[in-house]
Amino acid sequence: GSAVVLRDLQPILPGHALVVPTRPVARLGELSQGELSDLVSSAVKAQELLQASHGAAAFNWQVKDGPASGAPVDHVHLHVVPRTAGDLEANDMVYDLIDRWAPVAGERAAPPLA
């Protein structure tokens, strides 16, 4: 396929995975229809596996599409975050955690300014 699933790359919650197209592009619109289909299909498959392995009751998916969105790298990627009841003190904290996510240990992305 034209997408891969990466696990344990600075997870914000247990099981947090990234789905990444194998062709490096900065924006979703640069993917072909086939690549976009593979990206989503790979995310669904990752979600199925994570549901079984982590007992997830729900998932958050997020894509930051371009630099102004706060994307920390110029390679589009889809976050697939397994969720369980009570995993965060406040449910919406997941968005702040993803906003500050960076692929390198010790680094934090700067969220876009409001």
Side-chain angles (χ1 to χ4, degrees):
S2 58
V4 295
V5 177
L6 305 175
R7 299 264 323 267
D8 299 321
L9 185 62
Q10 307 298 68
I12 63 168
L13 286 171
H16 175 196
L18 297 176
V19 184
V20 183
T22 55
R23 184 171 66 92
V25 297
R27 305 289 306 271
L28 276 174
E30 296 173 38
L31 294 172
S32 70
Q33 287 299 311
E35 290 170 322
L36 185 57
S37 178
D38 280 352
L39 186 75
V40 172
S41 294
S42 295
V44 168
K45 183 162 185 92
Q47 182 170 300
E48 291 169 354
L49 294 171
L50 290 167
Q51 186 168 358
S53 65
H54 285 77
F59 288 84
N60 285 103
W61 285 23
Q62 185 173 11
V63 173
K64 292 184 177 184
D65 193 23
S69 71
V73 293
D74 288 333
H75 189 151
V76 71
H77 55 279
L78 168 62
H79 293 264
V80 178
V81 183
R83 302 297 307 275
T84 56
D87 59 1
L88 294 172
E89 184 177 324
N91 194 47
D92 285 349
M93 287 175 66
V94 70
Y95 304 112
D96 184 55
L97 292 171
I98 291 174
D99 271 348
R100 297 183 187 288
W101 179 88
V104 177
E107 290 186 12
R108 301 297 271 178
L113 299 176

